[in-house]
């Protein structure tokens, strides 16, 4: 349970950074660049789509982290001692 909670907390805290990183990566694929850097991306994203845009895709990410994190941390000790 603690592993799942820790994984979900980490996901919530790092999700905005991942969103900005992905936007900047995709910005390089277009012929014209929309963003001049990370801070510019944050400001433009917040103005155009609102603060919730930084957490778009959070639900499936939390589902994945809760199951994967719980299994990984929950099975570590039993498998280690086997």
């Amino acid at each position: 349970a603690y592993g799942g909670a820790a994984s979900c907390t980490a996901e919530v805290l790092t999700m905005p950074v991942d969103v900005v990183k992905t936007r900047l990566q995709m910005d390089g694929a277009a012929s014209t660049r929309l963003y001049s850097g990370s801070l510019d991306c944050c400001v433009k994203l917040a103005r155009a789509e609102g603060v919730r845009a930084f957490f778009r895709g959070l639900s499936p990410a939390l589902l994945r982290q809760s199951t994967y994190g719980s299994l990984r941390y929950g099975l570590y000790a039993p498998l280690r001692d086997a």
Side-chain angles (χ1 to χ4, degrees):
Y2 294 119
S7 296
C8 288
T9 301
E11 188 68 39
V12 169
L13 294 176
T14 59
M15 183 60 110
V17 176
D18 284 338
V19 168
V20 170
K21 174 194 64 121
T22 304
R23 294 286 178 120
L24 288 171
Q25 287 174 333
M26 295 307 296
D27 188 42
S31 60
T32 58
R33 297 181 79 64
L34 298 173
Y35 311 114
S36 62
S38 298
L39 185 59
D40 183 51
C41 181
C42 288
V43 171
K44 287 181 179 175
L45 183 59
R47 285 184 182 159
E49 300 180 37
V51 177
R52 291 183 66 179
F54 290 102
F55 297 97
R56 189 164 290 142
L58 185 61
S59 297
L62 288 177
L63 178 62
R64 179 179 61 91
Q65 289 297 346
S66 63
T67 55
Y68 174 68
S70 295
L71 287 173
R72 180 178 52 179
Y73 292 114
L75 293 176
Y76 175 74
L79 291 175
R80 180 193 63 201
D81 297 337

